[in-house]
Amino acid sequence: MRSHRRSRLLAPLLLLPLIAGCFSSGGDDSGSDGKDGDDSRLRVALAFPPAENLSPYGADATLLSRLGVTEGLTALDANGSAAPALAESWRRDGDKVWEFTLRDATFQDGSDVTPAAVADSLTHATHAKPAPAALAGVSLSAKAGGERVVRITTAEPDPVLPLRLSSPSLAVLSGKAYGDKNRVDPVGHATGPFELTKVNGATSATLDRFDDYWGGRAQASGIDARFIADGTARANALRTGELDIAEAVPVAQAATLDEKTRRDTATTRTTSLLLNASSGVFEDAGLRAAARGALDTSVFAKDVYEGYADPSAGIYGPAVTWAEGKRTEPVGRAAAKKPSGATINLATYDNRPELPEVAQVVKQQLEKAGFKVKLTVREYSRLEGDALEGKFDAFVLARNTLLDTGDPVAVLASDYTCDGGFNIAQLCDKDVDRAVADAEKIADTAKRQDAAMAAEARILGSDAVVPLVHQRIITGVADSVQGVILDPYERTLVGTGTRR
């Protein structure tokens, strides 16, 4: 039986532009004294409400990192490489051991970031149920290795461990965060420039500046965050001056904002149609091929996303700049069969407002080809469990393929292998598993990329995933605000230099 470990959420996304800089904490003028008083607080709206009580191990991990609350040993730079964060340097000691040297840093509860504290935090992550996506298929142990050194040992050689540790789900928290055995509490126990001080369920949160942040004192005195799932409401609140920053402005609302307040950024996110390859109509590879052949993907970037997207190229889109030159034709595709009125249950979520429209277009195209389609649209947190359990025949998902680790192979293992923790497509193919496993063993960057593309060809050949469009994200930013972090990986949004 396939394991359906409930991964974190909205692992929606894909692409990767070469933008200078590191997206770990910055903005401009980081470290300068910020203004005091309410007028220096930032008012921010996020699209996804907390789904797991702000656990760092699931969907909510990116909420914490985007608000500048948490960070890990490493971060991702603009080229997708591991960059220093709480660890200022690292080295490999043999095949299975890495040593990370810590910088001087303090937890928000006043305790020091020590090797023992870091090792304890990572140990808790390894015991989390379900396991964080960044640790899917990986067994590691951490221990103090000196006054400033953490030694991490993996059961098998892990050539991308520094990338893996950049995941928001492997944020380092103080020992007090683990006082309740039933939950991890990030409030006041993280290391980022902003400290959570109050959480009002799934509606809002209050954050204050953490003055002892190792990267310098943030210029904003705090953040008043609101979780607003309705994209039109986010755009309206920005337009009327109630917000300073609104993430994920719907394409349909972009034109209502002044041009100066619209920032569109290529991201590492792809929207795809996932077909349930293990049960129901699409267990038949011939009908999956028929569904893929029925879709005209050229309409999504131009019409649904009104130019704020790129036409589909594969699992990795054009912003992953190395991918196009390495891409090969899909391998092992079945011949298409006639749908003959086969009925399918198609689902998507409305947190990202374009997705229901994408699903409507998919529905129309499939029906034109001879399928009968029932469409379900709900808020993401009310769909994820059913999707991971294979209760839908097809699912429209926006997936950030580099969110979890920055490693292009990791998303393939998570989403398309028999034991993958986020395998909504329910794909279990021995040739795919073998190709992914081969890629996971490779340390050389260029060769690992080649192997990832070979695995992509196998996955696309299964027709369990049909890439539809590669997205750009629109962030609404008030004229008075500077230093918003337009991160292609969508891990960060505000940093020390974000201010108004």
PDB file of all heavy atoms in Angstrom, residues 16 28 56 88 218 222 224 246 258-259 366 387 457 487:
ATOM      1  N   LEU A  16      12.192  29.899 -11.625  1.00  0.00           N
ATOM      2  CA  LEU A  16      13.333  30.409 -10.884  1.00  0.00           C
ATOM      3  C   LEU A  16      14.175  31.396 -11.659  1.00  0.00           C
ATOM      4  O   LEU A  16      15.016  31.038 -12.430  1.00  0.00           O
ATOM      5  CB  LEU A  16      14.174  29.235 -10.427  1.00  0.00           C
ATOM      6  CG  LEU A  16      15.651  29.399 -10.182  1.00  0.00           C
ATOM      7  CD1 LEU A  16      15.895  30.091  -8.872  1.00  0.00           C
ATOM      8  CD2 LEU A  16      16.313  28.067 -10.235  1.00  0.00           C
ATOM      9  N   ASP A  28      16.320  46.343   1.807  1.00  0.00           N
ATOM     10  CA  ASP A  28      17.422  47.275   1.727  1.00  0.00           C
ATOM     11  C   ASP A  28      17.661  47.927   3.070  1.00  0.00           C
ATOM     12  O   ASP A  28      16.811  47.961   3.928  1.00  0.00           O
ATOM     13  CB  ASP A  28      17.161  48.339   0.648  1.00  0.00           C
ATOM     14  CG  ASP A  28      15.813  48.989   0.795  1.00  0.00           C
ATOM     15  OD1 ASP A  28      14.931  48.359   1.397  1.00  0.00           O
ATOM     16  OD2 ASP A  28      15.626  50.123   0.322  1.00  0.00           O
ATOM     17  N   PRO A  56       5.385  24.468  12.615  1.00  0.00           N
ATOM     18  CA  PRO A  56       6.448  24.701  11.633  1.00  0.00           C
ATOM     19  C   PRO A  56       6.644  23.529  10.679  1.00  0.00           C
ATOM     20  O   PRO A  56       7.433  23.634   9.740  1.00  0.00           O
ATOM     21  CB  PRO A  56       7.690  24.893  12.522  1.00  0.00           C
ATOM     22  CG  PRO A  56       7.402  24.077  13.732  1.00  0.00           C
ATOM     23  CD  PRO A  56       5.921  24.218  13.966  1.00  0.00           C
ATOM     24  N   GLU A  88      26.807  30.151   9.636  1.00  0.00           N
ATOM     25  CA  GLU A  88      27.587  31.059   8.809  1.00  0.00           C
ATOM     26  C   GLU A  88      28.458  30.309   7.804  1.00  0.00           C
ATOM     27  O   GLU A  88      28.914  30.884   6.814  1.00  0.00           O
ATOM     28  CB  GLU A  88      28.447  31.979   9.673  1.00  0.00           C
ATOM     29  CG  GLU A  88      29.461  31.272  10.556  1.00  0.00           C
ATOM     30  CD  GLU A  88      30.209  32.239  11.461  1.00  0.00           C
ATOM     31  OE1 GLU A  88      29.768  33.404  11.563  1.00  0.00           O
ATOM     32  OE2 GLU A  88      31.234  31.847  12.045  1.00  0.00           O
ATOM     33  N   ALA A 218      15.155  45.507  12.709  1.00  0.00           N
ATOM     34  CA  ALA A 218      14.220  45.787  11.614  1.00  0.00           C
ATOM     35  C   ALA A 218      13.755  47.234  11.660  1.00  0.00           C
ATOM     36  O   ALA A 218      13.628  47.836  12.727  1.00  0.00           O
ATOM     37  CB  ALA A 218      13.014  44.851  11.704  1.00  0.00           C
ATOM     38  N   GLY A 222       6.847  46.573  13.865  1.00  0.00           N
ATOM     39  CA  GLY A 222       6.064  45.352  14.007  1.00  0.00           C
ATOM     40  C   GLY A 222       5.207  45.122  12.784  1.00  0.00           C
ATOM     41  O   GLY A 222       5.250  45.884  11.806  1.00  0.00           O
ATOM     42  N   ASP A 224       1.146  43.894  11.675  1.00  0.00           N
ATOM     43  CA  ASP A 224      -0.230  43.488  11.949  1.00  0.00           C
ATOM     44  C   ASP A 224      -0.680  42.678  10.741  1.00  0.00           C
ATOM     45  O   ASP A 224      -0.932  43.227   9.659  1.00  0.00           O
ATOM     46  CB  ASP A 224      -1.128  44.705  12.160  1.00  0.00           C
ATOM     47  CG  ASP A 224      -0.711  45.508  13.379  1.00  0.00           C
ATOM     48  OD1 ASP A 224      -0.476  44.902  14.435  1.00  0.00           O
ATOM     49  OD2 ASP A 224      -0.591  46.742  13.268  1.00  0.00           O
ATOM     50  N   ALA A 246      -0.247  43.323   0.212  1.00  0.00           N
ATOM     51  CA  ALA A 246      -1.228  42.255  -0.013  1.00  0.00           C
ATOM     52  C   ALA A 246      -0.605  41.236  -0.941  1.00  0.00           C
ATOM     53  O   ALA A 246      -0.252  41.556  -2.083  1.00  0.00           O
ATOM     54  CB  ALA A 246      -2.508  42.814  -0.619  1.00  0.00           C
ATOM     55  N   ASP A 258      -3.252  50.770  -8.895  1.00  0.00           N
ATOM     56  CA  ASP A 258      -2.337  51.665  -9.585  1.00  0.00           C
ATOM     57  C   ASP A 258      -1.105  50.889 -10.018  1.00  0.00           C
ATOM     58  O   ASP A 258      -0.625  49.994  -9.313  1.00  0.00           O
ATOM     59  CB  ASP A 258      -1.942  52.805  -8.649  1.00  0.00           C
ATOM     60  CG  ASP A 258      -1.101  53.854  -9.354  1.00  0.00           C
ATOM     61  OD1 ASP A 258       0.118  53.638  -9.449  1.00  0.00           O
ATOM     62  OD2 ASP A 258      -1.664  54.865  -9.809  1.00  0.00           O
ATOM     63  N   GLU A 259      -0.568  51.229 -11.180  1.00  0.00           N
ATOM     64  CA  GLU A 259       0.577  50.491 -11.709  1.00  0.00           C
ATOM     65  C   GLU A 259       1.744  50.463 -10.737  1.00  0.00           C
ATOM     66  O   GLU A 259       2.479  49.477 -10.652  1.00  0.00           O
ATOM     67  CB  GLU A 259       1.018  51.110 -13.036  1.00  0.00           C
ATOM     68  CG  GLU A 259       2.115  50.343 -13.737  1.00  0.00           C
ATOM     69  CD  GLU A 259       2.461  50.923 -15.091  1.00  0.00           C
ATOM     70  OE1 GLU A 259       1.802  51.900 -15.501  1.00  0.00           O
ATOM     71  OE2 GLU A 259       3.389  50.394 -15.735  1.00  0.00           O
ATOM     72  N   LEU A 366     -12.247  19.020 -21.335  1.00  0.00           N
ATOM     73  CA  LEU A 366     -12.433  17.581 -21.145  1.00  0.00           C
ATOM     74  C   LEU A 366     -13.817  17.137 -21.610  1.00  0.00           C
ATOM     75  O   LEU A 366     -13.975  16.055 -22.210  1.00  0.00           O
ATOM     76  CB  LEU A 366     -12.227  17.209 -19.676  1.00  0.00           C
ATOM     77  CG  LEU A 366     -10.795  17.319 -19.142  1.00  0.00           C
ATOM     78  CD1 LEU A 366     -10.753  16.970 -17.658  1.00  0.00           C
ATOM     79  CD2 LEU A 366      -9.838  16.413 -19.918  1.00  0.00           C
ATOM     80  N   ALA A 387      -7.678  15.061  -1.130  1.00  0.00           N
ATOM     81  CA  ALA A 387      -6.818  14.952  -2.312  1.00  0.00           C
ATOM     82  C   ALA A 387      -5.692  13.954  -2.072  1.00  0.00           C
ATOM     83  O   ALA A 387      -5.380  13.113  -2.924  1.00  0.00           O
ATOM     84  CB  ALA A 387      -6.258  16.318  -2.682  1.00  0.00           C
ATOM     85  N   ALA A 457      10.976  13.457 -17.592  1.00  0.00           N
ATOM     86  CA  ALA A 457      10.495  12.832 -18.819  1.00  0.00           C
ATOM     87  C   ALA A 457       9.682  11.572 -18.516  1.00  0.00           C
ATOM     88  O   ALA A 457       8.665  11.294 -19.175  1.00  0.00           O
ATOM     89  CB  ALA A 457      11.673  12.510 -19.731  1.00  0.00           C
ATOM     90  N   ASP A 487      10.316  37.405  -3.533  1.00  0.00           N
ATOM     91  CA  ASP A 487      11.067  36.152  -3.506  1.00  0.00           C
ATOM     92  C   ASP A 487      10.479  35.159  -4.503  1.00  0.00           C
ATOM     93  O   ASP A 487       9.321  34.774  -4.378  1.00  0.00           O
ATOM     94  CB  ASP A 487      10.993  35.601  -2.077  1.00  0.00           C
ATOM     95  CG  ASP A 487      11.693  34.270  -1.907  1.00  0.00           C
ATOM     96  OD1 ASP A 487      12.292  33.784  -2.879  1.00  0.00           O
ATOM     97  OD2 ASP A 487      11.635  33.721  -0.794  1.00  0.00           O
TER      98      ASP A 487
END
